[in-house]
Amino acid sequence: QLLDQAATFYSRYLWETAAGEPARRYLAKRGLGEDVCRAYRLGLAPAGGRALAERALKKGFSGPELLAAGLVNRRGNDYFQGRLMFPLADPRGRVVGFGARRLRDDDPVAAKSVNSPEGSLFRKGALVYGLDLARAAIAKEGRAIVVEGYTDVLALRQAGLGPVVASMGTALTERQLQELSRLARRAYLCFDADAAGEQATLRGMELAVAQGLEVRVVALPTGLDPADAAQRFSELLARAESYVLYRVRLEIERAD
């Protein structure tokens, strides 16, 4: 499968080349060990050119196939360049797209994180990041811990939490919650402690309650994300608020 082979190509480029050294240092600085990074198949896209495209063409894939998979642009150059790559898989573990994180300040693409183009395979609103690796733990524990970012998932998994997934951005969608409600009765929502995170938490809570999930909200100290609090995250989970308490407290805080 083309996207699966692309994930292997990016992974080998990260771990087996001199060009991957700055990205490996970045991951180490974030406190993410090689084991957890390899478990989630992290990779690195070569900068400036057609390295992936040329390799795929030599293997017998066609230009239209690469374009349809979101791996090249219309000029035939690699779609992702010089970025840390997070393979995005469906619940069965099949790669359907990529998330790509900026590593350099001089990256010509301004966005910190970009995804594969939406297409027949990749639908951002239908995917839950890390669900393929968390399914067993979610089903066993009857709960899903939902965070915002890819690296939050890795940091919490590394800290020993199994049922952790990410929402592919801030706002949870009905499709994502349907996937989770098949496996779990309870959802712990943990988004960044800023205004956007608060709004995302509210939207996610309302949708999750409508799906019949028991919702709890994990409050983060201001300025921290889940990766920063990974080692004491179990304490934060134990102090999680119910949907009703969180909603009432928020309404009181917002009132004149």
Side-chain angles (χ1 to χ4, degrees), residues 10-218:
Y10 291 137
S11 178
R12 294 188 68 174
Y13 193 76
L14 170 63
W15 299 110
E16 298 175 14
T17 70
E21 177 58 29
R24 295 194 293 270
R25 278 201 311 271
Y26 167 81
L27 292 167
K29 190 177 171 187
R30 294 291 305 264
L32 297 172
E34 185 175 334
D35 285 351
V36 75
C37 291
R38 283 188 179 273
Y40 285 84
R41 301 185 71 185
L42 266 62
L44 178 67
R50 296 167 45 89
L52 174 73
E54 287 171 1
R55 176 68 63 88
L57 291 169
K58 278 181 188 169
K59 286 197 163 196
F61 293 105
S62 69
E65 282 176 311
L66 291 169
L67 184 64
L71 293 172
V72 300
N73 60 24
R74 299 210 171 272
R75 293 194 298 273
N77 296 322
D78 291 353
Y79 187 83
F80 299 108
Q81 303 206 10
R83 288 193 164 224
L84 189 63
M85 303 298 289
F86 295 83
L88 308 175
D90 68 12
R92 285 189 275 177
R94 297 174 299 191
V95 179
V96 294
F98 292 92
R101 189 184 186 97
R102 187 179 65 205
L103 290 171
R104 307 188 325 270
D105 292 335
D106 62 347
D107 192 311
V109 180
K112 179 180 171 183
S113 188
V114 296
N115 294 322
S116 293
E118 294 268 330
S120 57
L121 279 175
F122 179 67
R123 292 254 187 276
K124 177 181 168 182
L127 283 178
V128 180
Y129 177 70
L131 183 59
D132 55 315
L133 295 177
R135 280 177 72 88
I138 291 172
K140 182 180 178 186
E141 297 181 28
R143 63 175 185 168
I145 301 162
V146 186
V147 294
E148 196 175 322
Y150 308 135
T151 53
D152 294 328
V153 171
L154 271 69
L156 293 181
R157 180 66 176 257
Q158 184 173 260
L161 287 162
V164 61
V165 294
S167 62
M168 299 283 300
T170 51
L172 276 163
T173 67
E174 282 189 54
R175 286 282 302 279
Q176 291 169 329
L177 286 161
Q178 283 167 3
E179 288 287 348
L180 295 176
S181 64
R182 290 190 186 108
L183 299 166
R185 298 180 308 279
R186 185 180 299 161
Y188 288 80
L189 305 188
C190 182
F191 296 130
D192 290 352
D194 56 19
E198 191 174 88
Q199 283 303 115
T201 301
L202 274 175
R203 285 195 302 275
M205 280 195 305
E206 286 157 6
L207 285 171
V209 168
Q211 289 283 344
L213 284 160
E214 179 191 331
V215 177
R216 303 189 76 81
V217 181
V218 183

